Amino acid sequence: MTEIDKVALIYIQDRRILTARSKGKDKYYIPGGKREAGEDDTATLIREIKEELDVDIIPSSIRFCGIFKAQADSHPEGKIVRMTCYSALFEGELSPMSEIEELSFMSSTDAKKCSAVDEIIFRHLLDEGLID
């Protein structure tokens, strides 16, 4: 079994979580991405969120939220995505950048529009009382 190692931002506003949809894709996902060689979680989170959302993460605000695993979408059975999630504050205005076509704040009822690992994260946030 192999894993895809990703880091993601849990950003909740009005009891809804920020999601993004890439150009040409149907599913939404929690913003973030794969680390580059030599990057730790913090560096990956800051870089990926700047690239995707054009905002600057405030490093002192970063808080660990959990690690979640599920079958990776569009990959052979057994290919797992491991998503290490953090919450954080940021400076700037959210704007879809790079491969991102659309940003959306979603509730737990929207989870089926997302990847398998994100569905698990939605359930966790709902169970914790953080989203509707």
Side-chain angles (χ1 to χ4, degrees):
M1 188 181 310
T2 58
E3 289 185 344
I4 300 169
D5 180 27
K6 289 189 170 188
V7 177
L9 175 67
I10 302 287
Y11 182 69
I12 297 170
Q13 181 176 294
D14 299 324
R15 300 186 54 81
R16 295 178 178 275
I17 184 169
L18 177 65
T19 62
R21 186 177 56 77
S22 295
K23 294 175 183 166
K25 303 283 183 172
D26 294 328
K27 292 205 177 216
Y28 288 80
Y29 65 91
I30 296 170
K34 297 177 197 170
R35 74 182 75 242
E36 292 182 353
E39 280 185 330
D40 63 10
D41 287 0
T42 298
T44 303
L45 184 69
I46 290 169
R47 177 185 53 76
E48 283 287 342
I49 297 308
K50 182 65 174 179
E51 288 175 3
E52 292 185 358
L53 308 177
D54 197 30
V55 295
D56 297 305
I57 295 287
I58 299 168
S60 62
S61 74
I62 297 172
R63 300 288 179 266
F64 177 75
C65 294
I67 298 172
F68 305 89
K69 294 181 182 184
Q71 170 64 40
D73 287 342
S74 305
H75 287 274
E77 189 66 32
K79 185 81 160 184
I80 303 298
V81 63
R82 177 184 190 267
M83 188 90 77
T84 304
C85 297
Y86 295 89
S87 63
L89 300 174
F90 54 81
E91 296 176 328
E93 201 165 315
L94 293 169
S95 178
M97 301 292 290
S98 185
E99 77 275 8
I100 306 304
E101 186 166 349
E102 179 184 4
L103 300 177
S104 180
F105 282 91
M106 296 184 165
S107 70
S108 62
T109 59
D110 299 308
K112 289 290 183 198
K113 298 177 184 177
C114 298
S115 69
V117 72
D118 290 350
E119 287 186 51
I120 293 168
I121 295 167
F122 272 61
R123 277 194 301 278
H124 170 77
L125 295 173
L126 179 64
D127 291 346
E128 292 291 314
L130 297 172
I131 64 171
D132 290 328

